[in-house]
Amino acid sequence: MEKEKLWNSNYIKVMFTNFCLFFSFYLLTPLLPIYMAEQFDSSKDMIGLVLCGYSLTALFVRPFSGFIVDSFSRKRVLLFVLFLYFITFAGYIVAGSLVLFAIVRTLHGGPYGASSVANSTVAIDVLPSSRRNEGIGYYGISNNLGSAIAPSVAVLIYRYTHNFDILFWFAFIVAGLGFISSYMVKLPSRQTVKRNCKFSFDRFFLVKGWLIALNMLFFGFCWGLMSNYVAIYGKEHLGITSGTGTYFLLLSIGLIASRFQGSKSLREGRLVYSAIVGIILATIGYTIFILWPSTIGYYGSALLIGLGNGHIWPALQNMIIGVARHDERGTANSSILTTWDLGMGLGILAGGIVAEYFGYDACFRMNVAIHLVGLLLFVFFTRSFYKKNIMTDQG
């Protein structure tokens, strides 16, 4: 039997949109602590407080985004939230005070969170059902590329220009390209599901997938802490002033390599195996980062953390979609992304507070402990929970 075509034009456009979404956002992520310290003379705990604001806004918006995406025209919803996301970048350029900057950063989390839910749900719609697990795995390459390569580009631009306005304008342009790409996507016809007007929590969060989503929170915590403080840690503790770009480049190589290496496991439905491999690799990476404070440990951890997260994300995303009905895909996506955002926000906030009072070493030791908790939770509880709740009809 001939396989259904995976790389159709709509799928490619959706992937490009996703790349632009994550690239534009993560172009700013590693340098905003430095920007706040230089521009506004912000303390470490204030940096953590301000930077976690976008995660909290995304956390609030995403549950509603999933319900809206499942209930209305997905393309119209996607275009609306992507436009808001794109236009908000202009706010960074005009924000001349810490208060205005904090407001823009916090508000930006709303359209960012909604856009990632809408676009990932559209990606599922344009994929043939027989290639869905594999397709979601490859789809993640676009966020991995965007979120991992963008910091390298940002560090390079900053190194030669020391001008943050150039970064803000660049992010603005890339986000606009993503909006244009999404406009050209053609979705298959879909019957809108009539919802009961009665309020219920499972309209906004996939209750049947709660443990999978909770498990993702721990990994989001570690990723948020690492991605936001790795540059300033490397500069202050290891004297690495121009190597952050290399760190994120190695991170992206690991992320991409794991997507291709793990595609067979996803295609065969071996989601639990793929997740365990990824969690173990990432745990080793975070441990090496703090226990081997050297250039080799610093860069080696990036490759392992990238390899690990490249396995974790598609496995857990497919798992939560696997316990949802076809008309709950938006809710399933928003649930996994919501807990990821909550974890990232907590990681950024806790990282800033711990670094302020105990230093960055304690900050990254905490990261290892949190990731170990996530590993134990998955091995002893989440994998059996998934096998018990998976749905057989996933057309």
Side-chain angles (χ1 to χ4, degrees):
M1 182 177 177
E2 186 179 351
K3 286 185 178 180
E4 294 179 278
K5 185 178 180 181
L6 173 62
W7 296 97
N8 60 71
S9 61
N10 288 316
Y11 179 57
I12 293 171
K13 291 170 187 173
V14 170
M15 284 191 66
F16 180 73
T17 296
N18 198 51
F19 171 81
C20 291
L21 175 68
F22 280 82
F23 183 95
S24 56
F25 198 83
Y26 282 91
L27 190 71
L28 310 182
T29 298
L31 294 179
L32 286 183
I34 296 174
Y35 174 73
M36 291 180 63
E38 292 182 356
Q39 190 74 13
F40 306 118
D41 196 26
S42 302
S43 63
K44 293 174 183 176
D45 52 351
M46 178 58 69
I47 290 172
L49 181 63
V50 172
L51 294 185
C52 79
Y54 88 89
S55 292
L56 298 177
T57 309
L59 173 67
F60 176 78
V61 166
R62 271 182 170 155
F64 299 98
S65 304
F67 173 73
I68 292 170
V69 165
D70 283 336
S71 303
F72 301 98
S73 167
R74 283 176 179 164
K75 183 172 180 179
R76 290 181 182 177
V77 172
L78 177 61
L79 289 175
F80 177 72
V81 295
L82 271 177
F83 179 77
L84 290 179
Y85 169 76
F86 153 64
I87 207 68
T88 305
F89 276 104
Y92 293 105
I93 301 170
V94 300
S97 67
L98 179 60
V99 173
L100 286 176
F101 177 84
I103 291 172
V104 171
R105 185 63 177 172
T106 301
L107 291 178
H108 208 181
Y112 168 72
S115 296
S116 55
V117 170
N119 200 63
S120 58
T121 308
V122 166
I124 297 170
D125 283 348
V126 300
L127 281 168
S129 58
S130 65
R131 309 292 298 275
R132 188 169 297 138
N133 284 352
E134 184 183 6
I136 291 174
Y138 284 128
Y139 173 80
I141 292 176
S142 57
N143 11 317
N144 294 156
L145 274 172
S147 59
I149 292 177
S152 303
V153 175
V155 170
L156 186 66
I157 293 173
Y158 177 72
R159 180 181 176 186
Y160 288 103
T161 67
H162 286 274
N163 189 326
F164 282 96
D165 281 346
I166 293 176
L167 287 174
F168 296 146
W169 275 110
F170 189 26
F172 179 81
I173 292 169
V174 173
L177 292 175
F179 173 77
I180 294 170
S181 177
S182 67
Y183 183 81
M184 297 187 291
V185 173
K186 295 181 179 178
L187 288 180
S189 59
R190 178 180 70 93
Q191 183 178 358
T192 303
V193 178
K194 292 184 178 180
R195 302 269 182 167
N196 192 319
C197 292
K198 184 179 178 181
F199 177 86
S200 61
F201 184 67
D202 60 4
R203 293 169 63 185
F204 307 103
F205 185 88
L206 191 70
V207 176
K208 65 184 75 173
W210 72 272
L211 190 54
I212 301 169
L214 175 64
N215 216 149
M216 185 62 96
L217 180 145
F218 291 93
F219 307 134
F221 181 103
C222 298
W223 184 270
L225 189 152
M226 180 276 297
S227 62
N228 277 268
Y229 298 111
V230 66
I232 199 166
Y233 173 84
K235 180 180 179 181
E236 291 187 3
H237 286 255
L238 302 177
I240 300 175
T241 57
S242 60
T244 306
T246 303
Y247 185 93
F248 281 98
L249 177 61
L250 290 170
L251 192 72
S252 67
I253 290 172
L255 286 164
I256 296 165
S258 65
R259 295 288 183 163
F260 286 105
Q261 187 273 328
S263 63
K264 183 179 179 181
S265 296
L266 295 176
R267 188 165 58 247
E268 294 173 351
R270 299 164 63 199
L271 304 181
V272 171
Y273 167 80
S274 185
I276 289 177
V277 169
I279 298 168
I280 291 174
L281 285 172
T283 303
I284 294 172
Y286 287 119
T287 304
I288 288 176
F289 182 89
I290 192 64
L291 294 185
W292 196 358
S294 65
T295 302
I296 295 175
Y298 183 78
Y299 291 126
S301 70
L303 193 60
L304 287 170
I305 293 169
L307 284 168
N309 277 276
H311 282 289
I312 292 170
W313 244 110
L316 266 66
Q317 187 177 20
N318 273 303
M319 285 169 68
I320 199 166
I321 291 170
V323 301
R325 299 191 310 267
H326 69 89
D327 60 303
E328 296 175 321
R329 290 171 184 164
T331 304
N333 271 321
S334 72
S335 299
I336 200 82
L337 288 166
T338 294
T339 49
W340 174 264
D341 274 340
L342 176 59
M344 282 193 65
L346 291 173
I348 296 168
L349 181 60
I353 294 172
V354 172
E356 178 72 18
Y357 295 101
F358 303 101
Y360 283 110
D361 279 335
C363 179
F364 284 100
R365 288 180 189 278
M366 173 181 65
N367 223 28
V368 174
I370 294 296
H371 213 273
L372 280 171
V373 172
L375 170 61
L376 295 174
L377 178 64
F378 186 88
V379 170
F380 291 106
F381 297 101
T382 305
R383 63 174 178 172
S384 58
F385 174 87
Y386 165 69
K387 291 176 180 178
K388 180 181 177 181
N389 292 280
I390 187 172
M391 298 187 69
T392 55
D393 181 14
Q394 287 297 310

